[in-house]
Structure formats: structure tokens, C-alpha cells
Amino acid sequence: MKKGLAETLERIAAIIDSRRGGDPETSYVARLLGPDEDAVLKKIGEEATETVLAAKSGDRLHLVRETADLWFHCLILLARNGLGPGDVLAELHRREGISGLDEKAARKKR
């Protein structure tokens, strides 16, 4: 992984946060941060579907672009909930070195 990618996510998250309370008529992000949470949830569902379809197509560039769209909308959802990429990266760090099967079993015990 290239150095500085976490910082890129943090910069994008800061831009997203700066759009909070903006004019939803002129800011797409402000619209998705507005009172209707379903707007961003629907968009994530749409982008997730498009990501799956891109993966099935075998077009690697299309897959990368759709994944970028999905991640961007997930950053908006995180911001809506007072979270950011650091929270997700910390969870991934916590899971690092843990078998996926063990991690899943541990979630069931919680």
C-alpha cells in the first residue's frame, strides 16, 4: 500500500465534514448529510451493487472506480454518525492477525 493513503482518507473526511450544514441545493455532500439518513443509505446500497457488478464484469478499472464511490459514500455515513476513517482503520488494526473465522466467532459471543 502506498504511503499516505490513510492521510488521504482523513483529508477527504475533513472535506466531507466541512460540507455539514451547507446548502443541499449546491452541495451533494450537504444533501447526504441532511436530515434524511435514508438518502445516504440508499446511495451506499446502489454503490455496493455497482461494485459487485463491476467485479463480475472483470473490468479492473471499473471495479476500482466503483469501490472508490462506495468508500466515499461510506465516509459520508461515518461522518453522519460522528465517526471517521480512523475509527475503521483502528478496527482493522485490532483485527489484524486474527483469523476471520475466529473474529466472526468472537462477535457471536459478544
Side-chain angles (χ1 to χ4, degrees), residues 81-101:
N81 289 278
L83 299 165
D87 298 294
V88 176
L89 292 172
E91 177 60 14
L92 290 171
H93 179 75
R94 182 192 71 76
R95 294 181 187 186
E96 188 176 11
I98 300 171
S99 156
L101 296 175

Side-chain angles (χ1 to χ4, degrees), residues 28 40-51 66 70:
Y28 175 71
V40 72
L41 297 176
K42 288 176 186 174
K43 193 63 184 168
I44 287 173
E46 175 188 319
E47 295 301 343
T49 299
E50 290 174 0
T51 301
E66 291 301 340
L70 178 60

Side-chain angles (χ1 to χ4, degrees), residues 13-96:
I15 291 167
I16 288 168
D17 198 50
S18 76
R19 303 281 162 58
R20 185 182 309 278
D23 182 358
E25 295 298 318
T26 60
S27 171
Y28 175 71
V29 172
R31 187 177 318 146
L32 293 179
L33 288 171
D36 180 18
E37 183 179 48
D38 284 350
V40 72
L41 297 176
K42 288 176 186 174
K43 193 63 184 168
I44 287 173
E46 175 188 319
E47 295 301 343
T49 299
E50 290 174 0
T51 301
V52 170
L53 293 173
K56 295 288 283 178
S57 78
D59 182 337
R60 292 166 45 102
L61 180 57
H62 188 206
L63 175 58
V64 167
R65 289 177 173 165
E66 291 301 340
T67 301
D69 290 346
L70 178 60
W71 286 14
F72 177 75
H73 289 89
C74 286
L75 288 172
I76 294 171
L77 180 62
L78 288 169
R80 284 188 63 86
N81 289 278
L83 299 165
D87 298 294
V88 176
L89 292 172
E91 177 60 14
L92 290 171
H93 179 75
R94 182 192 71 76
R95 294 181 187 186
E96 188 176 11

